[in-house]
């Protein structure tokens, strides 16, 4: 009975010591401050001491077996004490965070003016609040500088949370203890990865809205330059042709395609020299895009050659003959042969001639496939409407949950931010 009373007193003492030791100092501006590292060490020592002391007092000279039994009895009490302490610390941190954020709002430096309207925005706001309040003591004292710093912090978190740590370390030269705390926050997958993923989905939806303007709106599509504008934009947006594709070659000859193909497979010619790759008429073909991806769970690869046409050019027999000539050059050249690689060849534009559409809709092939050759070679005629529909179907699940419906201004802003140097002037001017 006496032991139980002493132990209960010890639990109360633990709480008292913890609360006293973690009491926040009030600086001159009457703002809550974090305890310094030295005090944190004192906290740990004090809590450990008052937890162990009752056992030393109550069980002096106890046998190892008896002490083990007593420890088993007080285990639940110690667990309760630890849970109480954790709840207390969490509550104090939340109070401090709420107070700081309210001060920033009054001062006019808090970078959010409205409450989160979507789950993704709430996740982003939670991370911002936690990181910003952790580094609050190191923010500039001048209001405008503080506002600029907090706005920069918001932009980094909304775009790439993983890039936040080096920026803050460079700006504030954080001490080791704060570096470790910041890394812990940024490594929490539930926040950092969710923000990054939702940002990527929103960007992709915005790009699809921009692409529709580029290829469908008459006043824009008729002026879009295929090689210097549309091609350059799509070099950075290879996901639109299928998930996991990576750019291998852009705007280079079939010879360059062969070199890159062999590099990917780890192969070289026996004499170190490669024979030139030529189309059937002897000409050198210039390929717009070569993309590649690995088959999941196997050593096989997929290579995709994409021939882009200006939006005003309809896919007809001449365009089909061109993409087939590239396929023939690859198939007939023994330097390309490898059982581990399958090849797809796409010709892409806004419209296609009726004779091509008949082949693309043949009942014995996948929609869009106009020819299948031995060795895993397929040739396709694709319209932008089909490609965009496929992308929107892949993103539908996320779009519904993010409640993100990109408007024209979102599409234009994305083009300016990501593709500003190559985006057609007609798009950004009309959009602005």
């Amino acid at each position: 009975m006496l032991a139980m009373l002493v132990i209960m007193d010890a639990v109360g003492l633990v709480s008292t010591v913890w609360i006293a030791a973690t009491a926040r100092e009030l600086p001159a501006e009457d703002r809550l401050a974090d305890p310094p590292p030295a005090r944190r060490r004192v906290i740990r020592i004090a809590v450990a001491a008052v937890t162990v002391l009752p056992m030393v007092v109550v069980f002096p000279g106890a046998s190892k077996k008896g002490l083990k039994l007593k420890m088993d009895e007080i285990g639940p009490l110690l667990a309760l004490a630890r849970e109480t302490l954790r709840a207390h610390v969490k509550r104090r941190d939340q109070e401090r965070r709420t107070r700081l954020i309210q001060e920033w709002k009054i001062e006019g430096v808090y970078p959010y003016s409205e409450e989160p309207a979507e789950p993704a925005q709430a996740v982003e706001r939670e991370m911002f609040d936690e990181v910003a309040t952790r580094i609050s003591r190191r923010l500039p004292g001048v209001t405008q500088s503080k506002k600029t710093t907090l706005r920069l912090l918001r932009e980094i978190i909304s775009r790439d949370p993983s890039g936040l740590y080096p920026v803050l370390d460079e700006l504030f030269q954080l001490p080791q203890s704060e570096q470790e705390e910041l890394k812990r926050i940024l490594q929490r997958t539930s926040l950092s990865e969710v923000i990054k993923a939702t940002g990527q989905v929103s960007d992709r939806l915005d790009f699809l809205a921009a692409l529709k303007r580029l290829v469908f709106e008459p006043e824009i599509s008729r002026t879009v330059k295929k090689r210097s504008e549309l091609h350059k934009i799509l070099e950075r947006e290879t996901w639109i042709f299928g998930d996991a594709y990576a750019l291998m070659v852009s705007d280079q000859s079939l010879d360059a395609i062969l070199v890159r193909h062999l590099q990917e497979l780890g192969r070289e010619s026996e004499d170190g020299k490669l024979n030139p790759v030529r189309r059937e008429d002897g000409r050198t073909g210039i390929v717009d895009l070569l993309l590649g991806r690995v088959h999941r769970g196997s050593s096989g690869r997929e290579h995709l050659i994409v021939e882009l046409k200006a939006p005003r050019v309809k896919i007809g027999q001449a365009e089909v003959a061109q993409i087939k000539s590239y396929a023939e050059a690859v198939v007939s050249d023994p330097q390309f042969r490898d059982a581990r690689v399958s090849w797809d060849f796409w010709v892409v534009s806004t419209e296609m001639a009726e004779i091509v559409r008949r082949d693309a809709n043949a009942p014995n092939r996948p929609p869009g496939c106009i020819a299948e050759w031995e060795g895993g070679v397929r040739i396709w005629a694709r319209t932008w409407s089909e490609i965009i529909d496929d992308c929107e179907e892949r993103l539908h699940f996320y779009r519904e949950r993010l409640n993100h419906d990109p408007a024209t201004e979102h599409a234009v802003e994305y083009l300016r931010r990501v593709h500003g140097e190559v985006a057609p002037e007609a798009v950004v001017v009309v959009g602005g």
Side-chain angles (χ1 to χ4, degrees):
M1 183 64 181
L2 177 60
M4 185 60 67
L5 291 174
V6 173
I7 291 169
M8 292 179 68
D9 287 342
V11 173
L13 183 59
V14 169
S15 299
T16 302
V17 171
W18 183 275
I19 293 171
T22 57
R24 312 289 180 168
E25 295 177 350
L26 292 176
E29 65 268 29
D30 193 33
R31 187 175 64 186
L32 295 174
D34 285 324
R39 173 168 291 184
R40 294 175 187 169
R41 287 193 292 271
V42 171
I43 291 170
R44 290 193 289 267
I45 294 171
V47 172
V50 298
T51 302
V52 175
L53 182 60
M55 292 184 290
V56 176
V57 173
V58 176
F59 311 119
S63 65
K64 291 182 179 180
K65 181 177 180 181
L67 184 57
K68 181 179 185 301
L69 290 174
K70 297 299 182 181
M71 287 293 293
D72 290 342
E73 292 175 7
I74 68 171
L77 286 175
L78 293 177
L80 176 61
R82 285 192 293 269
E83 185 62 33
T84 301
L85 296 178
R86 281 194 292 266
H88 166 73
V89 173
K90 184 176 181 180
R91 184 174 63 253
R92 290 299 299 271
D93 281 345
Q94 185 59 48
E95 290 171 356
R96 172 180 174 274
R97 189 180 308 166
T98 301
R99 181 170 178 172
L100 272 173
I101 291 170
Q102 187 59 36
E103 289 178 359
W104 289 339
K105 289 179 178 179
I106 294 173
E107 193 177 354
V109 299
Y110 190 64
Y112 298 93
S113 58
E114 300 177 354
E115 291 300 312
E118 305 170 6
Q121 294 176 355
V123 172
E124 175 191 322
R125 183 83 59 92
E126 181 183 349
M127 173 171 270
F128 172 87
D129 290 348
E130 184 164 0
V131 172
T133 52
R134 292 286 179 184
I135 64 167
S136 60
R137 290 182 298 166
R138 303 189 176 276
L139 293 173
V142 179
T143 299
Q144 186 57 46
S145 298
K146 186 188 300 182
K147 183 176 182 178
T148 301
T149 303
L150 290 175
R151 186 178 299 170
L152 172 64
L153 180 62
R154 173 190 173 176
E155 286 299 314
I156 298 174
I157 288 178
S158 66
R159 297 297 173 189
D160 183 16
S162 61
L164 181 61
Y165 170 73
V167 173
L168 293 180
D169 192 35
E170 180 72 22
L171 283 175
F172 303 120
Q173 296 182 342
L174 302 172
Q176 186 64 32
S177 60
E178 293 186 25
Q179 290 181 31
E180 293 174 357
E181 180 66 14
L182 189 58
K183 285 180 180 178
R184 182 189 65 79
I185 295 172
L186 298 178
Q187 287 171 353
R188 278 163 41 183
T189 303
S190 59
L191 290 178
S192 180
E193 292 303 316
V194 167
I195 292 172
K196 188 173 182 179
T198 53
Q200 183 185 67
V201 170
S202 296
D203 282 349
R204 289 187 173 188
L205 291 170
D206 290 343
F207 175 70
L208 290 178
L211 183 60
K212 289 177 183 178
R213 300 198 70 202
L214 289 173
V215 299
F216 294 143
E217 293 190 12
E219 67 275 13
I220 296 175
S221 62
R222 65 170 173 261
T223 64
V224 171
K225 299 180 180 66
K226 189 270 283 190
R227 189 171 298 278
S228 63
E229 294 175 341
L230 183 61
H231 184 156
K232 293 298 181 183
I233 289 173
L234 291 170
E235 281 181 349
R236 304 183 190 176
E237 308 284 353
T238 56
W239 63 271
I240 199 169
F241 301 108
D243 290 327
Y245 272 123
L247 180 64
M248 297 172 64
V249 171
S250 177
D251 200 23
Q252 295 189 44
S253 68
L254 286 168
D255 293 335
I257 300 295
L258 174 60
V259 171
R260 189 70 180 85
H261 165 73
L262 296 178
Q263 286 177 347
E264 204 65 33
L265 297 175
R267 284 172 44 194
E268 294 182 2
S269 61
E270 294 181 0
D271 57 1
K273 297 180 180 180
L274 297 174
N275 296 322
V277 183
R278 295 293 180 263
R279 296 158 70 180
E280 201 169 27
D281 58 7
R283 290 185 296 168
T284 300
I286 301 298
V287 172
D288 285 339
L289 299 171
L290 170 64
L291 311 177
R293 66 183 177 187
V294 178
H295 288 300
R296 289 185 178 179
S298 73
S299 60
R301 293 189 56 84
E302 295 178 37
H303 287 174
L304 169 61
I305 285 181
V306 179
E307 175 63 26
L308 300 168
K309 296 300 175 184
R312 60 185 176 277
V313 175
K314 183 181 292 189
I315 300 174
Q317 290 181 307
E319 288 70 31
V320 168
Q322 180 186 8
I323 195 66
K324 282 187 174 181
S325 72
Y326 293 160
E328 176 61 29
V330 169
V331 170
S332 61
D333 193 321
Q335 299 173 107
F336 279 100
R337 290 176 189 164
D338 195 297
R340 295 169 293 174
V341 180
S342 61
W343 290 85
D344 288 284
F345 297 80
W346 289 16
V347 57
V348 180
S349 191
T350 303
E351 296 182 275
M352 67 176 68
E354 189 60 33
I355 190 170
V356 177
R357 187 173 297 281
R358 291 182 187 278
D359 287 337
N361 293 333
N364 58 334
R365 290 191 296 264
C369 183
I370 58 177
E372 288 185 279
W373 297 350
E374 63 181 354
V377 175
R378 297 183 299 179
I379 304 169
W380 306 72
R382 304 296 309 273
T383 63
W384 283 119
S385 60
E386 294 167 348
I387 293 172
I388 292 171
D389 284 348
D390 288 347
C391 292
E392 289 183 333
E393 182 66 26
R394 298 203 307 268
L395 295 172
H396 175 75
F397 174 84
Y398 305 99
R399 180 176 186 166
E400 292 295 310
R401 280 149 184 80
L402 289 176
N403 193 28
H404 183 75
D405 189 12
T408 298
E409 57 267 26
H410 295 141
V412 172
E413 188 278 331
Y414 179 82
L415 280 182
R416 285 174 176 160
R417 172 166 52 86
V418 180
H419 304 288
E421 70 279 11
V422 296
E425 184 177 355
V427 179
V428 295
V429 171
V430 172

